[in-house]
Structures are given as structure tokens and as C-alpha cells.
Amino acid sequence: MSWINQNQVTINKPNNLLGLFSQSRDSLHHDPSEQFTKLPPHLYTKHKGKKPSQILYDEIYKEIIETPNINRFVQPPPQYELKDQNFKCWQCQKPISNGFLTIGANCDQCFFHGRYFCNDCMSVVRMPIPWKALDSFDLRHYKVSKLAQSEIDKLYDLPILEITPTSKLLQLNKTLFEFLVLKRQIHLLYDMICDPKLVQTLLEKRMNLCLKRNCFSLKDLYEIYNGSLTKVIQGYYVILYKHIDLCKSCQKRGHICSICQHMVPIHAFDIKNVTYCDTCLKVYHRECAEQKSCPNCLQYR
């Protein structure tokens, strides 16, 4: 037995997705109603046989997550020296110098680009760095150029940072691991609930948490880092769990544990208390499965 494996909203997408990176941060942060609307009913017909999370990915997030050249935002830049830039600012080309023991220095290195910029082209605002967030879950704020600040600002809300199931971060960071367990529950719940719009109404711009893939925005990771997003999503999960517990339609979509034969349905999204057989995929109480082998598989041996 094992934990469940990591196996309706639309966005007004521009013809060229890269256009998103030229929008202002205000348009990304303050106009969610213009970006996200309910998933039109005809899409269920168009994607007949697919789960809601699969439709969500195909219709909204696939174009964002699979944007060409996105790697430059999520991979560390090469290590440059000032001489590699001919001692000129990377942006304005003004002559720059490190000075002697920093005395007389008129430049600084941008943590996002790895390049050197003059004092005028460096930002006074420090920013979290996408590749640092993925590399070590480091969401501290670092020195960046004004150019980098603008780029980070524009991608701040976009779920382009993917954490794979084999990522070392899950072994090293308990906070992130526990959130991914919660996200997995939301994903499975979204696929089985009687009305996906109930989830959409709560999550709104966080619908990327309903995807099978662990794709986050820099904003998501920062709020997981400080704990605020975890509290919000835990609250939503309790609300949705209560709906399923009282909804006759949702209860019909549950499973009966054939080990204990208890007639109260169990649900695959409750992964802390429920597991399934790797062979036949029958769902059982986790406690029952730890005490007894899968009766369905024993029957056919």
C-alpha cells in the first residue's frame, strides 16, 4: 500500500503568451475578474472523459507553464566577472568599477541576472529570486537591478515554478512538504466533488493548486514560506470537506473499505487517513491497510 501518487476557470489569454510579461503588476494583482472566469459548460463536452483538473490544465495553465524560454527565470545565471562586461554597466553601458576593497565602487551585482549594474541602474528594492526559491526554498530578498525588478514583478503571479516529486526540497523543508500534501488533497477533491465551481469560487486565482503538477507562482511560494497561504488553503479544505460530508451526490462517489466493511464512505483525497492498493487501486482506510493485505488481490491469487 502507498499514498495516493501525484497522478472552472478560464483566463483571457493573449495570442502571444509572452505578452503577459509586458503587463503591469497592477493588472496581474488587481484585476482577477478580467483574467479568470468560470469554466464554460461546453468545455466539459469538448474534453469528454477528462477530469476537471485535466481540463483546467489544458485550457488555462498549459500555455503558461510550457511557455518557451521560461528556463531563464528558473535557472541560476552563469557567474560573471566585471571584466566579462568590459567594466561597463550591463544596462546603460556606463563605465563601472568595484573600487579597492569596495571603496569608490559605483556598481553592484544583480542576483537575478548575475550581471553588474551601475548604482543608477540598481534598484533600492530587494526581491525574492525565482531560481533561489526552487533551489533551496530561499525566499529572502536580494539586491536586484531595476531591469530584474521589473521582470520579477511581471512574473510574480504566474505559476511557472514547478516542484517535482523527486525534488530535494521535499526532503529538506517540512513546511513545503506539508503544503504539497495539502495541495494533493485539494487536487483530488477537485476531481471528485459534485460541482467544481464550489472549488473555483473559493480558490479563484489559486486554481493552479488544483493541478496534478506542482506548479507555483513566486507569490505562492513566498506565502507558503511565511505560512499565510497554508492557513487560507487549510480553511478552504475544511469548508469543502464539510460539503462532501453532507452532500448525497458526493457521498455516492466515495468508496467502502472492504477490509473493515464500515459503511461510511471514504474518499481518495483524504490521503492522511486513506490509502490504496498499488496493484488493483482499491481504496482502504490507511489503518486497515497496515493491518491486513488487500482482500481484492488475495481473491484473485
Side-chain angles (χ1 to χ4, degrees):
M1 304 286 181
S2 68
W3 280 29
I4 305 271
N5 295 325
Q6 281 206 320
N7 214 29
Q8 280 326 35
V9 174
T10 59
I11 189 170
N12 295 332
K13 297 179 290 188
N15 292 330
N16 179 0
L17 183 68
L18 294 179
L20 280 172
F21 296 101
S22 64
Q23 296 179 9
S24 69
R25 183 169 178 174
D26 287 341
S27 70
L28 289 172
H29 279 247
H30 303 300
D31 297 314
S33 61
E34 293 182 8
Q35 294 188 64
F36 292 85
T37 57
K38 300 306 179 190
L39 190 65
H42 76 272
L43 289 180
Y44 286 103
T45 303
K46 174 183 174 183
H47 296 275
K48 190 174 181 179
K50 287 190 175 183
K51 295 178 180 179
S53 63
Q54 294 172 312
I55 301 173
L56 186 69
Y57 181 81
D58 290 344
E59 290 296 321
I60 303 173
Y61 291 105
K62 182 177 182 179
E63 188 176 353
I64 296 173
I65 294 168
E66 298 181 10
T67 299
N69 302 321
I70 210 70
N71 283 343
R72 73 186 186 91
F73 295 107
V74 300
Q75 292 182 351
Q79 293 299 306
Y80 297 105
E81 296 183 13
L82 198 51
K83 63 182 180 180
D84 297 325
Q85 300 176 203
N86 295 320
F87 297 92
K88 293 182 179 180
C89 172
W90 183 249
Q91 185 169 359
C92 71
Q93 296 297 298
K94 182 169 71 176
I96 54 178
S97 170
N98 278 329
F100 178 71
L101 299 178
T102 73
I103 298 174
N106 65 344
C107 68
D108 217 328
Q109 189 173 28
C110 170
F111 275 85
F112 184 66
H113 290 120
R115 294 288 188 175
Y116 288 86
F117 294 79
C118 70
N119 292 338
D120 291 335
C121 292
M122 285 293 292
S123 173
V124 296
V125 178
R126 299 194 177 197
M127 303 285 287
I129 308 298
W131 63 265
K132 281 186 172 291
L134 280 183
D135 183 63
S136 57
F137 202 52
D138 181 356
L139 275 300
R140 292 175 294 177
H141 290 58
Y142 290 88
K143 294 180 180 179
V144 295
S145 63
K146 292 177 181 178
L147 179 63
Q149 180 190 351
S150 176
E151 289 184 271
I152 295 172
D153 225 21
K154 290 169 185 175
L155 62 84
Y156 191 67
D157 286 317
L158 299 179
I160 59 173
L161 307 177
E162 183 171 8
I163 298 175
T164 63
T166 57
S167 172
K168 64 179 181 180
L169 289 182
L170 302 185
Q171 301 172 11
L172 301 175
N173 193 285
K174 182 179 179 182
T175 299
L176 184 59
F177 176 79
E178 290 179 347
F179 186 86
L180 259 64
V181 172
L182 176 61
K183 177 193 173 297
R184 178 62 176 159
Q185 291 175 299
I186 293 291
H187 160 64
L188 292 169
L189 186 152
Y190 180 62
D191 278 344
M192 68 77 56
I193 200 166
C194 64
D195 185 0
K197 291 194 294 295
L198 296 173
V199 183
Q200 297 164 11
T201 300
L202 290 174
L203 267 67
E204 297 183 319
K205 288 184 68 178
R206 306 285 190 170
M207 286 300 292
N208 56 297
L209 301 182
C210 293
L211 301 178
K212 185 175 182 179
R213 294 174 66 171
N214 297 319
C215 296
F216 301 99
S217 66
L218 190 57
K219 179 181 180 180
D220 291 334
L221 292 181
Y222 186 74
E223 293 182 0
I224 295 170
Y225 175 78
N226 66 28
S228 60
L229 183 59
T230 303
K231 290 180 181 178
V232 170
I233 301 303
Q234 283 174 337
Y236 292 161
Y237 178 76
V238 170
I239 292 171
L240 295 167
Y241 190 98
K242 287 181 178 178
H243 163 83
I244 291 172
D245 195 40
L246 298 173
C247 175
K248 292 182 178 179
S249 178
C250 287
Q251 287 297 301
K252 290 178 182 178
R253 301 181 180 200
H255 306 266
I256 299 300
C257 176
S258 56
I259 294 178
C260 68
Q261 299 293 329
H262 199 289
M263 295 310 293
V264 176
I266 57 177
H267 302 278
F269 67 82
D270 186 15
I271 59 178
K272 292 184 178 179
N273 301 304
V274 171
T275 187
Y276 73 97
C277 174
D278 291 325
T279 304
C280 69
L281 305 184
K282 285 282 186 178
V283 179
Y284 303 103
H285 292 108
R286 183 172 294 279
E287 189 174 301
C288 294
E290 290 173 353
Q291 297 175 5
K292 189 175 180 180
S293 298
C294 173
N296 186 62
C297 290
L298 289 175
Q299 179 182 352
Y300 292 101
R301 284 182 182 174

